[in-house]
């Protein structure tokens, strides 16, 4: 299981305004996509964002949603989480961990403090600099656990 994380909270002093010094206007559709992520709170997939946004704006296209999700991640306004079979989106940008259900793939935030000492330890034991990390735990969510046959 491979996970790739964008970590906008550790990009330091880099300009996240809209990237590449290109001024982009904050369109109504981009705001709708961002508001949708904030409203769903469950690390939705791009298709779930599209389906939800489409209920509010019947003219928004799937391509527009995907393009805006990409832009919002590139500019540090959203976090992109890759899990097997999909990419999920998170509007919590502070350092935090995730818990993924091995059965259904649901993702929840885990309220653990970010350990910057771990980053420093890795830097001191390697030739890497500007190290950060993402912690992902795996388990069975309560719903999937209830579905297990009794032993």
């Amino acid at each position: 299981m491979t996970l790739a994380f964008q970590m906008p909270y550790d990009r330091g002093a880099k300009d996240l305004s809209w990237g590449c010094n290109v001024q982009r206007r904050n369109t109504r559709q981009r705001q709708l996509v961002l508001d949708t992520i904030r409203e769903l709170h469950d690390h939705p997939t791009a298709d779930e964002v599209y389906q939800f946004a489409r209920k509010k704006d019947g003219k928004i296209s799937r391509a527009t949603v995907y393009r805006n999700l990409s832009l919002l991640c590139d500019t540090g306004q959203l976090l992109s989480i890759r899990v097997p079979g999909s990419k999920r989106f998170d509007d919590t940008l502070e350092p935090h961990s995730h818990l993924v259900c091995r059965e259904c793939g649901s993702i929840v935030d885990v309220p653990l403090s970010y350990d910057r000492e771990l980053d420093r330890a890795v830097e001191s034991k390697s030739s890497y600099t500007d190290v950060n990390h993402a912690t992902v735990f795996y388990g069975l969510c309560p719903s999937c656990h209830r579905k297990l046959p009794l032993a």
Side-chain angles (χ1 to χ4, degrees):
M1 196 175 277
T2 303
L3 292 150
F5 293 89
Q6 286 182 328
M7 299 186 64
Y9 48 78
D10 262 332
R11 290 189 183 167
K14 295 178 185 170
D15 178 22
L16 298 177
S17 59
W18 284 103
C20 301
N21 295 324
V22 174
Q23 185 69 29
R24 298 185 199 269
R25 58 192 176 97
N26 189 18
T27 66
R28 181 184 59 77
Q29 290 176 323
R30 186 171 307 122
Q31 190 61 51
L32 174 60
V33 169
L34 185 58
D35 290 345
T36 297
I37 299 285
R38 289 177 176 157
E39 192 171 335
L40 290 176
H41 297 297
D42 63 352
H43 306 86
T45 64
D47 194 57
E48 290 168 339
V49 173
Y50 167 70
Q51 296 297 333
F52 194 86
R54 183 105 176 154
K55 291 177 185 174
K56 294 184 177 192
D57 178 354
K59 295 182 180 180
I60 195 167
S61 71
R62 182 173 268 113
T64 297
V65 170
Y66 280 60
R67 184 174 51 254
N68 280 293
L69 285 169
S70 179
L71 182 63
L72 289 165
C73 288
D74 289 348
T75 59
Q77 296 177 311
L78 287 179
L79 181 66
S80 171
I81 308 164
R82 290 189 190 276
V83 293
S86 70
K87 184 189 290 188
R88 310 297 280 274
F89 298 92
D90 191 353
D91 69 325
T92 303
L93 302 178
E94 306 78 51
H96 65 286
S97 301
H98 290 97
L99 178 56
V100 180
C101 179
R102 286 188 304 259
E103 189 66 28
C104 70
S106 65
I107 302 174
V108 296
D109 291 336
V110 179
L112 294 176
S113 298
Y114 186 83
D115 186 359
R116 294 199 190 279
E117 287 303 314
L118 189 56
D119 298 339
R120 289 186 196 100
V122 170
E123 286 177 346
S124 72
K125 295 179 185 295
S126 70
S127 59
Y128 284 66
T129 60
D130 195 27
V131 170
N132 58 46
H133 70 279
T135 305
V136 179
F137 298 93
Y138 298 90
L140 285 176
C141 70
S143 178
C144 289
H145 180 75
R146 280 192 297 275
K147 294 175 187 174
L148 289 175
L150 297 173

